[in-house]
Amino acid sequence: MDNKPALVFVGFMLIAIIVIVVYLIYTDPFRNMPQHTRNNHFQSPNREALILYSENCATCHGATGEGKDKCPPVRNTRLSEAQIQQLLRNGKGKMPSFSRLDSEQIINISRLVKQF
Ligand code: HEC
């Protein structure tokens, strides 16, 4: 009896699974977030806002709003949700405008920022 084709098949499947798992880990937008932040947001409706935040804001304000270099922290900001929405639409100083986002996205991001 020749089991070689079956072994080759199983080998390929194992490699495919490893490749998929590594891909999922490295493309996870929440990879650099602390565990408690992941737990708070991962399953919630904030998921889309969190992706938007990590794509558009985290480079300046840090993964959880802790601030970075010349950008102020957004965690515990004194601005209200409405003021944050206005800031996102208009920009301010070195902060670019995000008017290309639609108003639902802007509202969701401003809510998320107040929860950091
Ligand atoms: C290029 C860097 C940059 C990016 C990208 C950026 N910001 Fe900012 N942000 C700034 C700077 C600089 C300020 C300070 C602006 C000022 O007051 O002159 C600021 C201020 C803020 C403030 C006010 C903080 C406070 O308490 O005064 C909030 C809230 C904020 N940003 C949220 C966001 C969000 C949400 C995004 C993504 C949609 C974002 N920012 C993207 C640079 C950036």
Side-chain angles (χ1 to χ4, degrees):
M1 210 170 65
D2 184 8
N3 274 335
K4 219 169 160 199
L7 281 176
V8 170
F9 178 74
V10 170
F12 270 121
M13 292 311 274
L14 281 176
I15 291 168
I17 289 168
I18 290 167
V19 168
I20 291 168
V21 168
V22 169
Y23 173 81
L24 288 177
I25 290 172
Y26 278 90
T27 54
D28 178 1
F30 313 108
R31 192 158 60 100
N32 296 323
M33 290 198 162
Q35 194 62 41
H36 72 274
T37 314
R38 285 176 74 107
N39 292 345
N40 283 349
H41 298 293
F42 200 62
Q43 302 285 0
S44 73
N46 286 335
R47 193 180 153 84
E48 197 218 357
L50 201 49
I51 292 172
L52 286 170
Y53 180 89
S54 59
E55 286 172 354
N56 295 293
C57 325
T59 45
C60 289
H61 291 292
T64 52
E66 68 274 20
K68 235 185 201 180
D69 301 333
K70 294 196 174 114
C71 303
V74 292
R75 192 187 290 163
N76 299 325
T77 177
R78 277 175 303 160
L79 301 187
S80 68
E81 269 181 35
Q83 287 172 316
I84 296 173
Q85 290 158 23
Q86 202 190 5
L87 174 68
L88 295 184
R89 291 200 181 92
N90 301 329
K92 187 182 172 199
K94 295 233 160 64
M95 167 141 169
S97 146
F98 288 89
S99 52
R100 69 190 154 76
L101 300 177
D102 67 37
S103 57
E104 199 190 331
Q105 291 173 319
I106 287 184
I107 290 169
N108 288 340
I109 296 178
S110 69
R111 268 192 202 140
L112 175 79
V113 165
K114 292 297 276 181
Q115 291 169 13
F116 275 153

